[in-house]
Amino acid sequence: MGKHRLTDERAMAERTVADLDQLCKDRGIDQQIHALMTPGQRADLDRTLRDHARHNPR
């Protein structure tokens, strides 16, 4: 039961990050946000978006 809950939470977090990323791109502010992030934050964001894309093919 615990593993499913963690998997569901991770999927929800990936969806949320992907939705926020798309919203920022739609509004044209993604480059400004990336400029404010630390390299570690950018790497975490990129990894999360890759994971989301891998788990949710279009």
Side-chain angles (χ1 to χ4, degrees), residues 14-55:
E14 287 176 5
R15 258 192 319 275
T16 301
V17 170
D19 289 344
L20 284 171
D21 186 62
Q22 188 60 51
L23 177 67
C24 291
K25 286 179 182 174
D26 290 347
R27 298 201 183 251
I29 59 173
D30 55 317
Q31 295 302 318
Q32 295 94 328
I33 291 172
H34 272 269
L36 295 172
M37 294 175 141
T38 66
Q41 289 171 326
R42 281 193 296 271
D44 289 343
L45 174 63
D46 291 342
R47 184 174 41 257
T48 301
L49 292 172
R50 276 194 312 271
D51 288 349
H52 178 72
R54 187 174 349 140
H55 295 133

